[in-house]
């Protein structure tokens, strides 16, 4: 299986979007999948179901930081190069999906923050049923994000 398929598999097991993408890269990060799942658990649902930055995108950025991030606060060139790569990944995801914002991806259109009340942002997780998977693009989004990351690291 490729990274996208692995991520999609994690998502369909019940992990959130960020967990699914990040866990697909656990071996490359030399981390246990369970540790990765805990570390990125807050990013699901667009940051705790607030429907902000898509969890799949946050998962991509997490993996990028672990594998290619900078650690010297005075390394301005390293920061610049890293942020440029983050922006490149975001642009590629947005080009393919129209947005990096969870509420937009779930609604199928670009929403203003004032319109976000039309998207369920309750902290209560949705039950993972067959109907859930039919009406949400998330499984495909985690697959796309994991594959974009694979092509860029």
């Amino acid at each position: 299986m490729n990274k996208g398929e692995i991520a999609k598999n994690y998502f369909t097991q019940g992990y959130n979007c960020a967990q699914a993408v990040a866990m697909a890269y656990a071996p490359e990060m030399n981390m246990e999948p369970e540790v990765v799942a805990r570390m990125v658990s807050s990013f699901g649902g667009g940051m705790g179901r607030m429907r902000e930055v898509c969890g799949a995108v946050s998962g991509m950025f997490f993996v990028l930081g672990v594998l290619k991030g900078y650690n010297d606060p005075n390394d301005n060139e390293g920061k610049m190069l890293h942020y440029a790569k983050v922006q490149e990944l975001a642009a590629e995801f947005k080009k393919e999906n129209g947005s990096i914002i969870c509420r937009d991806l779930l609604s199928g259109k670009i929403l203003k923050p004032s319109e976000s009340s039309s998207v369920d942002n309750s902290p209560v997780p949705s039950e993972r049923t067959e109907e859930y998977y039919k009406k949400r693009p998330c499984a495909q989004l985690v697959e796309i994000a994991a594959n974009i990351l694979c092509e860029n690291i």
Side-chain angles (χ1 to χ4, degrees):
M1 286 197 301
N2 67 32
K3 291 299 183 186
E5 293 166 335
I6 294 168
K8 188 174 182 179
N9 185 45
Y10 276 128
F11 182 79
T12 59
Q13 289 177 45
Y15 291 100
N16 72 38
C17 296
Q19 290 171 319
V21 171
M23 289 170 69
Y25 287 88
E28 289 80 2
M29 296 186 293
N30 293 316
M31 299 171 78
E32 293 297 321
E34 298 79 17
V35 173
V36 174
R38 192 169 34 259
M39 292 176 82
V40 298
S41 60
S42 300
F43 304 150
M47 304 292 169
R49 290 196 88 228
M50 292 188 297
R51 306 303 188 209
E52 297 296 337
V53 174
C54 169
V57 173
S58 296
M60 264 196 317
F61 296 164
F62 172 83
V63 173
L64 181 66
V66 171
L67 297 179
K68 304 284 185 176
Y70 66 91
N71 61 359
D72 179 352
N74 299 311
D75 181 7
N76 289 329
E77 184 176 349
K79 285 181 191 182
M80 179 194 67
L81 293 171
H82 185 69
Y83 294 163
K85 188 54 120 174
V86 167
Q87 292 178 14
E88 180 184 326
L89 293 175
E92 191 167 338
F93 186 91
K94 187 174 183 176
K95 179 181 172 192
E96 193 156 340
N97 301 293
S99 181
I100 66 165
I101 303 300
C102 178
R103 68 178 157 269
D104 296 342
L105 296 164
L106 291 179
S107 72
K109 59 186 180 207
I110 306 301
L111 297 174
K112 296 178 183 126
S114 61
E115 298 173 311
S116 66
S117 61
S118 65
V119 178
D120 177 17
N121 64 352
S122 160
V124 178
S126 300
E127 187 177 342
R128 298 289 183 95
T129 63
E130 192 173 319
E131 188 60 32
Y132 171 93
Y133 290 110
K134 283 182 186 175
K135 70 179 185 175
R136 291 188 182 245
C138 304
Q140 291 75 28
L141 295 173
V142 299
E143 183 174 20
I144 290 165
N147 286 333
I148 287 171
L149 185 58
C150 188
E151 295 165 6
N152 285 279
I153 57 171

